Amino acid sequence: MSLNESSSMASAQISDQKSLLRIRGVSKAYGDTQILKGIDLDIYDGEFLTLLGPSGCGKTTLLRLIGGFEMPNAGSMELDGVDITSLPADKRPINTVFQQYALFPHMNVFDNIAYGLKLKKVPKDEIKVRVKEALQMVQLEHMMNRRPQDLSGGQQQRIAIARAVVNQPKMLLLDEPLSALDAKMRVQMQSELKRLQRELGITFVFVTHDQEEALSMSDRIAVMKAGVFQQIDTPIRIYESPANLFTANFIGETNLFKARVLEVNDQRIKVEVTEQKEGFNPIRDLPKPKFNVQVGQSINLLLRPEDIRVYYVNDGYEGLVGHVVDSAYKGSTLDSVIRLQSGNLVKTSEYFNEDDPNFNYKMGQEVRVDWVDGWEWILPDE
Ligand SMILES: Nc1ncnc2c1ncn2[C@@H]1O[C@H](COP(=O)(O)OP(=O)(O)OP(=O)(O)O)[C@@H](O)[C@H]1O
Ligand SMILES: [Mg+2]
């Protein structure tokens, strides 16, 4: 799909949702270090929201504030219209699965999961049923009587999830809850968590380092850098219409081509893609971006690897000239790296065509890279 065309697609489906948690102007500092800088965030009732950002950007800190394990230095939080800013953790209808899943070491698995229900004085018979259901969900019914120290890391992680889910909280905070699982169990737990979230209508705030997981599971993704949100949007808009270069580079594989604006018209702009020797640069006629563009301005054209087309250099086609420096067969795709004259390395991913005898590029082979006009996403230089 065209990057620019899709840019207005998804906004309508989220804007009319009811806000379960309203976070306004929340800041948090440890000593002199400002970790969160005036966070504004609405978390919608029943949504799956993922926090994504580099290590140390403040994801866990934000979860700890929402959970009530830390207090903000400034700002407010409202849950269902009630101010909870200074409410302690155990008074909030929110459960957390921590990054270091802290199970009670002296209790067996059953008692770990039953703990919250016992506190709430749920009848014994009901506790039994609910704990068993939770154990089934994480496929560990047979380990009910074990102690946490006799479980693997991945099993402990699943028990921690079961222990949080069993309370059926309004909101569940999950800090990298699947990181200790192997690939197969991870995929199973992803769909289990999605199913639970849909069936129980629990609002999930999820942290992961796995971008594919974020893109496939979330209703919205909040991209964070150094305690500031860069973009809060649907996965498709985050991927296809990133708000800035940070988001573009952080999510997925990205190709950025430098270009200079030659002409600005009503609906379109004319640019020179400045990746080759002077006089040999392609001129392109593109849809005008939303931001203000001026003649002479430097801009970036963003293209994902799957948007790039590769041609043999002698086929008479116009495009950017480069050399193949890497090419790997990935089953359904052929993924290559092409070095342009500017030194820019272009990543490409093409559907593998076994009928084409030339499809396996040789190292060093000269090729042209190109794309369909309108598939690029345009970002200003920063
Ligand atoms: N109790 C604390 N005292 C002082 N500094 C802290 C404390 N907790 C966190 N920090 C600092 O706050 C910053 C943000 O930490 P946080 O744990 O929120 O990051 P994160 O985004 O969750 O990172 P990761 O992806 O590695 O889990 C880090 O620089 C961290 O060192
Ligand atoms: Mg963290």
Side-chain angles (χ1 to χ4, degrees):
M1 187 179 355
S2 145
L3 297 184
N4 289 315
E5 264 170 32
S6 65
S7 60
S8 62
M9 254 180 61
S11 51
Q13 66 196 47
I14 47 170
S15 55
D16 55 349
Q17 280 186 32
K18 184 174 152 246
S19 181
L20 177 63
L21 185 68
R22 275 168 64 92
I23 301 175
R24 289 295 178 271
V26 160
S27 295
K28 180 70 187 173
Y30 290 116
D32 292 339
T33 317
Q34 196 72 25
I35 308 296
L36 297 178
K37 298 160 188 165
I39 292 272
D40 289 331
L41 177 64
D42 282 290
I43 300 174
Y44 299 124
D45 201 3
E47 82 167 324
F48 195 116
L49 177 77
T50 297
L51 304 179
L52 205 57
S55 184
C57 74
K59 304 179 295 294
T60 297
T61 304
L62 180 56
L63 284 195
R64 292 180 62 78
L65 288 169
I66 295 173
F69 302 99
E70 298 275 353
M71 292 296 147
N73 301 111
S76 67
M77 284 190 248
E78 247 178 41
L79 187 82
D80 252 345
V82 179
D83 190 344
I84 58 157
T85 314
S86 43
L87 205 64
D90 59 342
K91 297 278 186 308
R92 301 185 184 194
I94 297 174
N95 270 95
T96 310
V97 178
F98 293 103
Q99 201 164 4
Q100 281 88 20
Y101 29 93
L103 299 173
F104 305 118
H106 56 287
M107 289 181 197
N108 69 17
V109 164
F110 183 96
D111 291 332
N112 259 283
I113 298 174
Y115 183 78
L117 299 176
K118 281 182 185 162
L119 277 190
K120 280 197 262 174
K121 307 244 179 335
V122 174
K124 271 209 170 109
D125 292 347
E126 191 186 331
I127 291 183
K128 254 192 192 157
V129 173
R130 280 169 68 173
V131 170
K132 279 208 174 134
E133 277 172 7
L135 276 167
Q136 267 167 14
M137 172 198 82
V138 297
Q139 300 172 29
L140 289 173
E141 307 98 292
H142 53 294
M143 301 215 167
M144 210 153 62
N145 299 315
R146 289 242 190 131
R147 295 283 173 103
Q149 62 267 30
D150 303 326
L151 299 172
S152 73
Q155 288 164 344
Q156 289 182 44
Q157 207 166 36
R158 281 144 70 195
I159 296 300
I161 292 171
R163 189 178 59 173
V165 164
V166 82
N167 296 310
Q168 300 184 357
K170 270 213 160 99
M171 187 178 275
L172 192 54
L173 312 176
L174 299 126
D175 201 349
E176 304 193 39
L178 309 180
S179 58
L181 306 185
D182 64 43
K184 195 169 162 221
M185 180 55 72
R186 193 173 179 129
V187 172
Q188 279 176 16
M189 283 302 297
Q190 285 173 1
S191 61
E192 272 303 310
L193 283 176
K194 275 303 279 184
R195 189 181 60 78
L196 267 171
Q197 187 242 347
R198 270 195 303 267
E199 284 178 7
L200 302 177
I202 304 175
T203 303
F204 276 43
V205 185
F206 189 84
V207 174
T208 179
H209 272 109
D210 184 327
Q211 297 177 22
E212 254 179 58
E213 190 165 280
L215 289 170
S216 67
M217 294 183 81
S218 318
D219 295 312
R220 291 191 305 158
I221 298 173
V223 180
M224 243 177 143
K225 176 192 168 193
V228 179
F229 285 129
Q230 305 295 302
Q231 186 170 7
I232 306 171
D233 227 325
T234 57
I236 191 164
R237 282 175 53 86
I238 294 270
Y239 188 77
E240 298 197 345
S241 314
N244 56 30
L245 290 176
F246 176 82
T247 304
N249 284 313
F250 194 73
I251 313 288
E253 298 271 23
T254 306
N255 294 303
L256 287 172
F257 299 114
K258 291 273 168 218
R260 199 161 49 85
V261 179
L262 302 177
E263 232 181 87
V264 180
N265 299 312
D266 242 14
Q267 305 285 331
R268 305 188 69 82
I269 57 173
K270 205 168 263 182
V271 307
E272 177 187 22
V273 186
T274 51
E275 293 284 347
Q276 310 193 121
K277 282 195 264 344
E278 224 173 295
F280 290 91
N281 283 315
I283 310 285
R284 305 199 70 131
D285 185 0
L286 311 174
K288 197 171 162 181
K290 291 232 171 70
F291 62 89
N292 214 358
V293 266
Q294 272 147 21
V295 172
Q297 188 182 344
S298 254
I299 56 170
N300 298 280
L301 309 182
L302 161 67
L303 283 134
R304 300 295 186 182
E306 60 273 18
D307 294 330
I308 302 278
R309 301 281 166 269
V310 185
Y311 297 95
Y312 298 100
V313 81
N314 289 325
D315 64 2
Y317 205 90
E318 297 260 319
L320 294 165
V321 180
H323 290 87
V324 177
V325 294
D326 195 13
S327 192
Y329 171 62
K330 290 281 172 67
S332 57
T333 60
L334 183 69
D335 295 0
S336 310
V337 180
I338 291 154
R339 186 193 298 276
L340 300 182
Q341 282 180 359
S342 62
N344 195 354
L345 294 175
V346 181
K347 287 160 258 164
T348 70
S349 181
E350 301 172 279
Y351 275 106
F352 187 70
N353 178 3
E354 55 190 59
D355 297 332
D356 184 347
N358 295 316
F359 204 80
N360 274 309
Y361 304 119
K362 293 178 193 70
M363 289 305 138
Q365 183 176 347
E366 200 173 49
V367 291
R368 288 179 189 274
V369 301
D370 200 12
W371 64 91
V372 177
D373 270 336
W375 283 22
E376 65 289 311
W377 178 249
I378 305 174
L379 286 170
D381 247 355
E382 284 166 18

